Amino acid sequence: MITSIKLKNFQAHKDECLTFSPGVNVIVGPTNVGKSSVFRAVRWLVEHKPISGLQTFDTDDTQVRITTETGVVSRFKNDEGYGYRVNDLAPFVACDIVTGK
């Protein structure tokens, strides 16, 4: 079960943490406030596809972090590269922005 999702510089969300309760949770709000971007963020984390057009706030420091009952996984893209981190261990860097490797 997902217990929380943290979004940093992802579409409408500059720094947002959504906490979920056991059972059914509903995300509601007016048009164009970021409801759909929560689902895009989860897809970005799990599908390993490019982030083109999803970063905002004039920065390359973007992160999506999902916490479950058994651990944490996050995907990031910043000045140093992009990759994943599991349970706050050393990152798995997919590509170093400086070297391109």
Side-chain angles (χ1 to χ4, degrees), residues 1-2 19-27:
M1 180 180 104
I2 294 175
T19 304
F20 299 99
S21 301
V24 175
N25 291 261
V26 179
I27 299 172

Side-chain angles (χ1 to χ4, degrees), residues 1 67-72 87:
M1 180 180 104
T67 303
T68 69
E69 295 172 324
T70 58
V72 178
N87 291 330

Side-chain angles (χ1 to χ4, degrees), residues 11-96:
Q11 291 193 308
H13 303 281
K14 185 168 186 165
D15 190 10
E16 186 77 43
C17 186
L18 305 169
T19 304
F20 299 99
S21 301
V24 175
N25 291 261
V26 179
I27 299 172
V28 296
T31 300
N32 208 25
V33 295
K35 298 179 302 292
S36 296
S37 63
V38 172
F39 297 101
R40 281 188 208 99
V42 172
R43 286 185 64 193
W44 179 65
L45 189 145
V46 301
E47 290 183 351
H48 191 69
K49 293 190 178 187
I51 191 172
S52 178
L54 300 178
Q55 292 175 283
T56 53
F57 302 102
D58 296 325
T59 181
D60 286 333
D61 185 15
T62 300
Q63 180 181 8
V64 174
R65 177 183 176 107
I66 294 179
T67 303
T68 69
E69 295 172 324
T70 58
V72 178
V73 63
S74 61
R75 183 173 180 187
F76 60 88
K77 181 177 181 196
N78 56 35
D79 293 343
E80 299 172 19
Y82 60 88
Y84 294 87
R85 186 180 307 267
V86 177
N87 291 330
D88 294 323
L89 299 173
F92 300 97
V93 178
C95 180
D96 185 308

